[in-house]
């Protein structure tokens, strides 16, 4: 299964991706996580991406397209993949289509997680992520068993630097201007699978799996 997870910041892409990738045994490819890893390791890519991410702006298309194309040539993606946070602009979507076509592959579905903007701010300001394994928590709706410590690997839970109110607002504005047009793009190609993301994490997950199984039959 070759999947894309679409949705505004805080919709639950990362949360659902952790589970979907286990369910279908496909690698979870998050461009945001790749950039955060690069920043942590002080690579040249990290240095390029950092200023855009800190401001809540998108990293330029040519950089992102390059790293995703590179990632999708790795053998673990041959049996399927789950893209989280890519594509995020129409040129990125077109580049992905072209790349897949050239490699005799195509997308199975684009899951669009829909959530009202007011809910998104609350989700992002209360989010905590594991600095070691990337697992996602929320202080109110999904707390870890021990405060500040990851349930899965006992890593430290941190507050993402772009999860401050002013940056969140800009990320939402950038989403509406640059990423929302992809909803229509994928609707037209018949790949869009809209999901109501305002319900409990488990309910959202059950619906996604049910819909994907229907589509895969
Ligand atoms: P990225 O890391 O992709 O961030 P994002 O799109 O802003 O999305 P988030 O990770 O913030 O939200 P999410 O949907 O994953 O929600 P989560 O599951 O964590 O990108 C960061 C930056 O990198 C960008 O701003 C850009 O600069 C750059 N970048 C990345 N990709 C790029 C690209 N393709 N092109 C250009 N630049 C790129 O959930 C959020 C919170 O809500 C959590 O606390 C969670 O516990 C909680 N929650 C989740 N689901 C529910 C639910 N159903 N009910 C209650 N709470 C819930
Ligand atoms: Mg995420
Ligand atoms: Zn962890």
């Amino acid at each position: 299964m070759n999947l894309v997870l679409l949705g505004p910041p805080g919709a639950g892409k990362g949360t659902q991706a952790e589970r979907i990738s286990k369910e279908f045994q496909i690698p979870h490819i998050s461009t945001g996580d790749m950039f955060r890893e690069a920043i942590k390791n002080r690579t040249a890519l990290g240095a390029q991406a950092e200023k855009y991410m800190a401001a809540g702006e998108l990293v330029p298309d040519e950089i992102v397209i390059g790293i995703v194309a590179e990632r999708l040539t790795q053998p673990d993606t041959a049996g399927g993949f789950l893209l989280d946070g890519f594509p995020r602009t129409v040129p990125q979507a077109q580049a992905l289509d072209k790349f897949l076509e050239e490699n005799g592959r195509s997308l199975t579905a684009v899951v669009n997680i829909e959530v009202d903007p007011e809910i998104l701010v609350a989700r992002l300001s209360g989010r905590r992520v594991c600095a070691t394994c990337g697992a996602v928590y929320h202080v109110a709706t999904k707390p870890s068993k021990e405060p500040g410590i990851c349930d899965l690997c006992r890593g430290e839970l941190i507050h993402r630097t772009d999860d401050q109110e002013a940056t969140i607002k800009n990320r939402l504005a950038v989403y509406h201007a640059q990423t929302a047009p992809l909803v229509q793009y994928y609707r037209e190609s018949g790949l869009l699978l809209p999901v109501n993301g305002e319900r409990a994490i488990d309910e959202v997950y059950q619906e996604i799996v049910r819909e994907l199984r229907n589509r895969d039959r």
Side-chain angles (χ1 to χ4, degrees):
M1 219 175 290
N2 299 334
L3 302 175
V4 166
L5 270 183
L6 193 63
K13 300 183 295 295
T15 300
Q16 298 298 335
E18 281 176 32
R19 307 180 64 172
I20 297 167
S21 77
K22 275 201 202 104
E23 175 81 30
F24 296 106
Q25 305 267 310
I26 49 179
H28 171 200
I29 302 174
S30 157
T31 41
D33 287 350
M34 289 163 89
F35 289 135
R36 280 183 288 277
E37 186 68 21
I39 291 170
K40 195 166 87 184
N41 295 332
R42 300 179 183 282
T43 66
L45 175 68
Q48 281 178 305
E50 192 165 16
K51 63 176 185 293
Y52 298 103
M53 291 179 75
E57 297 291 332
L58 295 184
V59 176
D61 285 339
E62 56 278 12
I63 298 176
V64 192
I65 291 166
I67 67 159
V68 174
E70 215 288 305
R71 182 65 185 86
L72 288 178
T73 55
Q74 288 172 30
D76 65 330
T77 66
F81 54 80
L82 173 57
L83 290 169
D84 158 7
F86 180 95
R88 242 179 166 90
T89 63
V90 171
Q92 289 181 20
Q94 290 167 335
L96 177 65
D97 283 347
K98 184 162 170 276
F99 175 85
L100 292 175
E101 199 186 313
E102 282 168 1
N103 289 277
R105 297 195 274 181
S106 60
L107 292 175
T108 312
V110 175
V111 177
N112 185 36
I113 308 181
E114 302 173 334
V115 179
D116 189 85
E118 298 205 348
I119 298 178
L120 298 173
V121 178
R123 284 194 186 175
L124 292 173
S125 42
R127 170 168 59 187
R128 298 293 181 272
V129 291
C130 175
T132 308
C133 78
V136 185
Y137 298 85
H138 190 282
V139 290
T141 59
K142 194 181 184 279
S144 57
K145 294 199 183 84
E146 282 176 64
I149 298 173
C150 178
D151 293 348
L152 304 178
C153 76
R154 301 201 57 79
E156 183 198 357
L157 300 188
I158 55 164
H159 195 185
R160 257 168 60 174
T161 48
D162 59 348
D163 279 347
Q164 295 155 9
E165 187 122 350
T167 318
I168 292 172
K169 293 241 158 78
N170 194 40
R171 285 161 60 203
L172 293 174
V174 166
Y175 168 80
H176 285 289
Q178 302 192 54
T179 308
L182 290 181
V183 174
Q184 184 58 20
Y185 181 91
Y186 285 121
R187 192 181 286 128
E188 280 168 13
S189 59
L191 289 169
L192 196 72
L193 211 152
V195 172
N196 171 2
E198 294 183 8
R199 295 159 306 160
I201 292 172
D202 202 50
E203 287 175 50
V204 177
Y205 173 67
Q206 297 299 339
E207 186 186 338
I208 293 174
V209 171
R210 195 168 52 238
E211 293 287 334
L212 288 175
R213 291 206 192 286
N214 278 340
R215 192 161 282 228
D216 209 33
R217 269 208 298 252

